[in-house]
Amino acid sequence: MVHPKYKRYFRQTLAFGLIWLTFGLIYALLEKGILGRLIEYPSTGVAYDFQNALIYIGVGSFFGGLVQGWIEVTWLRKRFAKNRFWVKILFKSVFYLLFLILFLILLSLITNARRLGIPIYDPIALENVSQFVGDFAFWSVIIYAGAALDVALFYSEVNAYLGNGAIYNYSLGKYHKPREEKRIFMFLDMKSSTFIAEQLGHLEYFTLLKMYYADMTNPILETLGEIYQYVGDEIVVSWSLKNGSYNNNCLECFRKIDNRFKERSAYYRKRFGVVPGFKAGYHIGKVTVGEIGIIKKDIIYTGDTLNTTARIQEECNTYNAKTLVSNDLIKVLPKSDAFLFTKIGSLILKGKTKAIQLFRMDFNLPPSKG
């Protein structure tokens, strides 16, 4: 199995490749329209063949997009994670533009050498590329490709702001019409948040909150979770039944978060004077999901399942439990010795006659590697 983190990297990188490929094919068609019946490039005198140009530009563009995407999602995005949006776009654009110039010079060198049937270090191939770089045609390509680069970069940044998969769902209209899904939810809330906020002050508390959520991100991604909402000091995470039940991902998520904060406890204590604690409630059920809003659109879940999960999380205070799980969820998860479940009570919601059995969850084995 490929690690979930790398699956996410591959999906995001593929988006860059597809954007570049689209722009590349458009460029090849525009080039054909401009050159018309010409059989060579006016700027260099190199023979022009539409079929070869289409293949080289298409493959080169797709490969260039994959390279940019991989650099972005695995390295550069982290470097600029704390910068403002315009700073990210500006500095990343300069970086990728320099990369693009080198990439196009190399691509042109390989293409010319192959067409002429000579090595890339042959003086004729080098001279053709030199003429191309010194011609406006080259810089027109840079401008056009730079636009593709910035579109891919803008897409990546907006997608990060909206949430992974949001643009994809909006584009395909997946939830344009409401649909019913069975999903697993975890409502995780910070303990004593009001007291912590009073002790730190609102600005410092907000800094803690950003770090608090940042430290939860990898555990959520590693267990295929989807961040549905941030509600003050509460985070709502959701899984499809398939992703959440696989290897008990939904429960492993809490375990990984818990271990992450144990590892970081010294830092939190030194930086803020307190280590934030948390409690979580789990439940599964059918929800209605769809787009909502006119001025600002969002994809939301509605149904008793969310209300029930929120109530389960609140019951953590009643039973002095760190994690409460409904029996409905336990029944659909694979059996595992990694978790211990202790029945502690039941929950009857207003307007409902059937009680929901509640179990406290404890860890029995060390967290799984990966």
Side-chain angles (χ1 to χ4, degrees):
M1 286 289 295
V2 179
H3 193 283
K5 178 174 68 174
Y6 293 107
K7 283 185 177 180
R8 182 168 175 265
Y9 285 167
F10 292 144
R11 287 195 299 268
Q12 293 176 337
T13 298
L14 181 61
F16 280 82
L18 293 176
I19 291 173
W20 273 54
L21 175 61
T22 301
F23 273 82
L25 295 178
I26 292 173
Y27 178 84
L29 294 173
L30 290 174
E31 183 181 63
K32 172 62 178 174
I34 293 171
L35 294 178
R37 296 179 179 273
L38 294 178
I39 59 174
E40 62 180 32
Y41 290 96
S43 58
T44 62
V46 175
Y48 169 74
D49 178 74
F50 173 65
Q51 184 176 352
N52 284 335
L54 190 66
I55 294 173
Y56 283 119
I57 292 174
V59 173
S61 298
F62 183 67
F63 177 75
L66 293 180
V67 173
Q68 183 202 2
W70 191 254
I71 293 173
E72 175 66 21
V73 302
T74 62
W75 177 64
L76 202 59
R77 179 183 292 171
K78 299 173 184 177
R79 296 283 179 175
F80 289 89
K82 297 181 180 179
N83 293 101
R84 298 178 183 180
F85 185 82
W86 71 268
V87 174
K88 294 179 184 179
I89 296 296
L90 177 62
F91 282 92
K92 287 183 181 181
S93 294
V94 172
F95 173 85
Y96 286 125
L97 197 59
L98 293 174
F99 159 77
L100 179 63
I101 292 172
L102 294 175
F103 172 77
L104 286 179
I105 290 175
L106 180 62
L107 180 63
S108 177
L109 184 62
I110 295 173
T111 303
N112 278 282
R114 189 173 181 84
R115 284 172 177 168
L116 297 173
I118 57 179
I120 60 174
Y121 52 82
D122 189 284
I124 296 177
L126 295 174
E127 178 63 24
N128 284 338
V129 171
S130 177
Q131 291 178 9
F132 179 53
V133 172
D135 194 272
F136 178 75
F138 173 78
W139 296 104
S140 67
V141 173
I142 292 296
I143 293 171
Y144 184 84
L149 183 154
D150 283 337
V151 168
L153 187 59
F154 188 78
Y155 165 85
S156 174
E157 292 295 333
V158 171
N159 195 44
Y161 274 87
L162 295 179
N164 192 38
I167 293 180
Y168 175 82
N169 289 331
Y170 280 126
S171 300
L172 296 184
K174 182 177 180 180
Y175 297 118
H176 184 67
K177 291 184 178 180
R179 56 192 293 178
E180 192 174 70
E181 294 182 358
K182 191 169 188 178
R183 298 192 69 86
I184 299 168
F185 286 91
M186 175 184 73
F187 279 54
L188 187 147
D189 185 51
M190 184 188 293
K191 291 181 179 179
S192 307
S193 57
T194 303
F195 173 76
I196 295 174
E198 290 177 350
Q199 291 294 108
L200 297 179
H202 293 296
L203 290 177
E204 188 71 355
Y205 175 68
F206 191 83
T207 302
L208 179 143
L209 204 59
K210 287 181 66 175
M211 191 173 298
Y212 172 77
Y213 286 139
D215 281 331
M216 294 182 184
T217 301
N218 278 338
I220 293 170
L221 293 176
E222 289 172 1
T223 54
L224 304 177
E226 301 170 19
I227 298 174
Y228 172 48
Q229 284 181 337
Y230 296 105
V231 186
D233 57 8
E234 181 178 71
I235 184 172
V236 181
V237 183
S238 177
W239 292 263
S240 65
L241 176 58
K242 177 182 177 181
N243 288 340
S245 61
Y246 178 77
N247 284 342
N248 285 302
N249 268 333
C250 58
L251 304 183
E252 284 288 352
C253 180
F254 186 86
R255 186 211 293 270
K256 288 177 179 287
I257 290 174
D258 188 60
N259 277 276
R260 175 62 175 166
F261 278 87
K262 287 177 181 177
E263 294 169 358
R264 297 265 289 165
S265 60
Y267 177 83
Y268 274 95
R269 191 170 287 108
K270 180 179 179 180
R271 174 67 176 79
F272 300 103
V274 63
V275 180
F278 38 83
K279 55 187 183 295
Y282 280 95
H283 188 45
I284 185 174
K286 291 183 178 180
V287 292
T288 301
V289 55
E291 292 181 17
I292 195 170
I294 302 297
I295 298 176
K296 179 184 181 299
K297 288 187 177 293
D298 202 355
I299 295 176
I300 69 166
Y301 298 106
T302 61
D304 289 341
T305 301
L306 285 95
N307 299 328
T308 302
T309 313
R311 283 291 309 278
I312 291 173
Q313 186 263 113
E314 292 173 1
E315 290 297 300
C316 287
N317 293 328
T318 303
Y319 295 102
N320 192 29
K322 196 167 186 177
T323 316
L324 289 180
V325 184
S326 71
N327 188 48
D328 292 347
L329 177 57
I330 293 175
K331 287 189 295 185
V332 301
L333 294 178
K335 303 299 181 182
S336 171
D337 293 332
F339 305 96
L340 295 177
F341 298 103
T342 306
K343 184 177 179 180
I344 60 173
S346 59
L347 175 66
I348 301 178
L349 298 175
K350 185 178 180 180
K352 301 289 183 178
T353 56
K354 184 180 178 181
I356 297 173
Q357 302 299 318
L358 300 181
F359 290 76
R360 186 181 70 229
M361 182 184 77
D362 295 294
F363 305 138
N364 189 37
L365 295 174
S368 60
K369 298 295 182 181

